[in-house]
């Protein structure tokens, strides 16, 4: 019996920022996938990781990301220019699925985010709609606790707060690296490629009608 469903936010409840990255790169004439490759290189200790843990400020992130992208991809991409690309569009079908799940199960959200985009921050992400966030029983933001996925401790914090066992949880994320720790803890995991695919797998995992 599934007792809790835990969601990532960006790329799960919203469209993937990867589409915006690719469009930005085409428009600016940057090498294809330079942003994703910069994010992926040294992914536990790069500028992105440090900013998501709130270990550096915006100016430092802007500079370090530019240095890393130049070294890795041969073009200087300013960190400040990447931030607006993160605000994907809400997926209405996923919001409805979340609403139906909340009526039957506990719900959580674990999101790697940046201090400049944290919930309640001055320039907070426009897609953090209060109505949607209220559907989660508990939200963990990397920028507010100094931990980020895939650190196993962030998943442990969620299940302890929700009061559930990993084996009774389903976890959804659009990145395989973030699914691995949840799966190793015993959670059922779903890699989100599209809303329809994720909802089909969620229905199979929970036995609930979500559309």
């Amino acid at each position: 019996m599934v007792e809790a469903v835990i969601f990532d936010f960006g790329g799960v409840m919203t469209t993937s920022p990867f589409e915006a990255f690719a469009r930005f790169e085409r428009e600016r004439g940057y090498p294809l996938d330079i942003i994703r490759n910069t994010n992926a290189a040294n992914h536990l200790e790069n500028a992105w990781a440090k900013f998501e843990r709130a270990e550096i400020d915006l100016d430092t992130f802007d500079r370090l990301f530019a240095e890393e992208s130049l070294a890795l991809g041969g073009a200087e991409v300013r960190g400040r220019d990447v931030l607006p690309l993160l605000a994907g569009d809400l997926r209405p079908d996923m919001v409805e699925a979340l609403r139906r799940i909340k009526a039957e199960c506990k719900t959580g959200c674990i999101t790697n985010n940046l201090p400049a985009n944290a919930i309640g921050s001055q320039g907070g992400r426009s897609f953090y709609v209060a109505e949607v966030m209220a559907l989660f029983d508990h939200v963990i933001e990397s920028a507010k606790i100094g931990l980020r996925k895939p650190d196993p401790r962030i998943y442990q914090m969620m299940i302890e707060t929700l009061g559930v066992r990993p084996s009774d949880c389903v976890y959804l994320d659009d990145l395989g690296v973030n699914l691995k720790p949840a799966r190793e803890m015993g959670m059922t995991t779903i890699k989100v490629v599209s809303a329809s695919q994720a909802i089909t797998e969620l229905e199979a995992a929970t036995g609930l009608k979500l559309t």
Side-chain angles (χ1 to χ4, degrees):
M1 176 65 184
V2 172
E3 292 189 16
V5 180
I6 304 166
F7 298 79
D8 176 28
F9 201 86
V12 174
M13 300 306 299
T14 69
T15 54
S16 173
F18 296 156
E19 300 165 19
F21 291 171
R23 183 171 59 251
F24 176 81
E25 290 161 354
R26 289 195 302 271
E27 291 173 351
R28 298 290 184 95
Y30 290 135
L32 180 64
D33 288 337
I34 188 171
I35 297 174
R36 293 180 66 174
N37 292 339
T38 303
N39 289 349
N42 190 25
H43 73 97
L44 297 178
E45 294 298 332
N46 61 16
W48 198 276
K50 291 177 181 177
F51 200 27
E52 286 187 332
R53 294 193 298 259
E55 294 173 0
I56 57 177
D57 62 16
L58 177 57
D59 289 339
T60 305
F61 169 70
D62 179 58
R63 175 177 57 80
L64 290 179
F65 193 87
E67 292 174 357
E68 291 172 357
S69 63
L70 182 61
L72 290 164
E76 186 178 88
V77 182
R78 303 303 304 192
R80 287 180 187 272
D81 293 339
V82 177
L83 294 182
L85 306 176
L86 298 174
D89 298 321
L90 277 170
R91 288 170 161 160
D93 292 351
M94 289 298 293
V95 176
E96 178 60 23
L98 170 59
R99 189 172 285 112
R100 295 188 183 202
I101 289 168
K102 183 175 176 60
E104 304 291 338
C105 305
K106 296 179 180 179
T107 56
C109 177
I110 304 175
T111 176
N112 281 357
N113 63 358
L114 306 171
N117 287 328
I119 300 170
S121 66
Q122 188 173 4
R125 297 184 187 182
S126 61
F127 59 77
Y128 275 121
V129 181
E131 181 182 357
V132 176
M133 301 313 291
L135 296 174
F136 296 112
D137 294 312
H138 188 58
V139 177
I140 296 179
E141 298 181 77
S142 66
K144 291 187 176 180
I145 65 166
L147 290 175
R148 68 192 286 273
K149 299 174 292 186
D151 190 318
R153 290 175 293 174
I154 203 168
Y155 306 86
Q156 187 64 35
M157 288 173 63
M158 177 60 77
I159 63 170
E160 288 178 359
T161 301
L162 294 179
V164 294
R165 297 177 302 180
S167 58
D168 296 329
C169 298
V170 178
Y171 177 66
L172 299 91
D173 205 297
D174 63 324
L175 297 179
V177 68
N178 292 338
L179 291 167
K180 185 178 178 182
R183 186 166 54 250
E184 291 177 344
M185 291 175 70
M187 297 187 197
T188 298
T189 59
I190 296 173
K191 183 173 183 179
V192 177
V193 178
S194 67
S196 59
Q197 161 264 330
I199 290 169
T200 297
E201 293 190 36
L202 254 182
E203 288 182 330
T206 62
L208 300 174
K209 178 66 175 172
L210 302 178
T211 56

